[in-house]
Amino acid sequence: MTLQWTVVAIFLYVEIAVILILCLPFISAKRWRSLFNLSIWNWFAPYWNRGFFTMILILIILFCDALREVRKYSNAEPMGEAKLNPNLFDHLHMKLFRAQRNLYISGFSLFLWLVMRRVVTLINQVAMSTVTGTSLQNQVESANQAAKKYQEDNLLLKQALLDEEKNTTAGKRLLRKEAEKLMEELKTAEDAVRKSNAEVEAMKRQANGLTKEYDRLLTKHNELQNLQGGAGDKKDQ
């Protein structure tokens, strides 16, 4: 095996090992994403896409070269000539085997390189969806808690309104009773005022009558005094 195909084979084994490690069930997507977000990968980030497509191009070139070799040694003409010479026949079979091996190595390397890129992308997507799902679940739980709180506040507000309405109704009843009581007291006071006014009028009439009687008696008294005074004068004469 030449040096280039040795490197490709080692690269294939590394790809298989990396894919197997990425598929381990006890390592979650969040942990892989945290590993992918390490600062060391930021150094390779500007060259990642360029290196990825460069590797694809190299593997495609090697695959085409291996395919050309397989077609070359699978041709009917060299195989026909090799049948005449047993050593040449074995040599061509060895060349064909190596070409087929190189074809499989380059093909699987190219395939696993694309698969590994896709697996890493899917792990990132799963981790992001998990984080998004967790945040959405937290938002839903907070929304449910807020809705329950609003519902409880609404019930408390309704209860407060009912209590206030009951208190208002009771207050209106008390005010109504007090108003009726005041109206009765007012009527009683009005009756008492009327009665007192009637008594005052009667007392006024009685006072006027007494005043007139006093004036009449005073007039009579004066007349009697005048008569007595006139009779005394006559006697003195």
Side-chain angles (χ1 to χ4, degrees):
M1 184 181 289
T2 59
L3 179 62
Q4 61 180 3
W5 291 111
T6 304
V7 173
V8 174
I10 293 171
F11 183 72
L12 175 62
Y13 298 147
V14 171
E15 285 179 329
I16 294 172
V18 170
I19 290 174
L20 289 176
I21 293 171
L22 289 174
C23 294
L24 290 176
F26 54 85
I27 303 178
S28 63
K30 287 184 179 179
R31 290 182 181 178
W32 282 120
R33 191 166 184 268
S34 63
L35 290 175
F36 295 153
N37 290 331
L38 292 175
S39 59
I40 189 173
W41 300 111
N42 294 330
W43 299 346
F44 301 100
Y47 311 103
W48 169 246
N49 288 328
R50 190 180 302 173
F52 176 76
F53 289 112
T54 302
M55 198 65 196
I56 288 178
L57 183 61
I58 293 172
L59 291 174
I60 289 174
I61 292 172
L62 291 174
F63 180 79
C64 292
D65 182 62
L67 184 62
R68 182 184 61 81
E69 291 288 327
V70 169
R71 287 181 178 178
K72 175 182 176 182
Y73 293 112
S74 298
N75 232 346
E77 293 180 0
M79 293 301 292
E81 295 177 358
K83 286 180 181 180
L84 301 176
N85 190 354
N87 293 328
L88 182 62
F89 184 77
D90 293 337
H91 180 72
L92 287 176
H93 265 286
M94 184 182 64
K95 289 284 187 181
L96 180 61
F97 171 75
R98 288 179 180 177
Q100 290 174 347
R101 180 198 59 192
N102 296 336
L103 180 67
Y104 296 147
I105 290 173
S106 59
F108 278 109
S109 297
L110 178 62
F111 174 72
L112 291 179
W113 182 245
L114 296 173
V115 169
M116 188 171 63
R117 172 68 179 266
R118 186 59 180 167
V119 167
V120 172
T121 305
L122 289 176
I123 287 174
N124 282 326
Q125 290 178 355
V126 169
M128 291 179 65
S129 64
T130 304
V131 172
T132 306
T134 305
S135 62
L136 287 175
Q137 187 175 1
N138 293 330
Q139 290 179 2
V140 169
E141 289 178 357
S142 61
N144 289 332
Q145 290 178 358
K148 288 181 181 178
K149 186 178 179 182
Y150 292 151
Q151 202 169 15
E152 291 176 357
D153 293 340
N154 193 11
L155 290 175
L156 290 174
L157 182 61
K158 286 182 179 179
Q159 188 65 32
L161 289 173
L162 289 174
D163 294 339
E164 186 177 358
E165 188 175 356
K166 289 180 181 178
N167 294 330
T168 305
T169 306
K172 286 181 179 179
R173 289 177 183 175
L174 289 174
L175 288 174
R176 206 174 282 171
K177 289 180 180 179
E178 290 180 359
E180 291 176 357
K181 186 177 179 180
L182 288 174
M183 290 294 291
E184 291 177 358
E185 292 178 355
L186 183 61
K187 287 179 181 180
T188 304
E190 286 180 354
D191 293 337
V193 169
R194 288 174 185 173
K195 187 176 179 181
S196 61
N197 287 332
E199 290 178 355
V200 168
E201 290 293 331
M203 290 178 67
K204 283 183 179 180
R205 292 194 205 95
Q206 188 176 2
N208 289 330
L210 291 174
T211 303
K212 290 179 180 178
E213 185 67 23
Y214 176 76
D215 291 339
R216 188 177 64 78
L217 292 174
L218 184 60
T219 302
K220 287 184 179 181
H221 177 69
N222 289 330
E223 289 177 356
L224 288 175
Q225 284 184 351
N226 291 329
L227 289 175
Q228 287 179 0
D233 290 338
K234 286 180 180 182
K235 285 180 180 181
D236 292 335
Q237 290 178 2

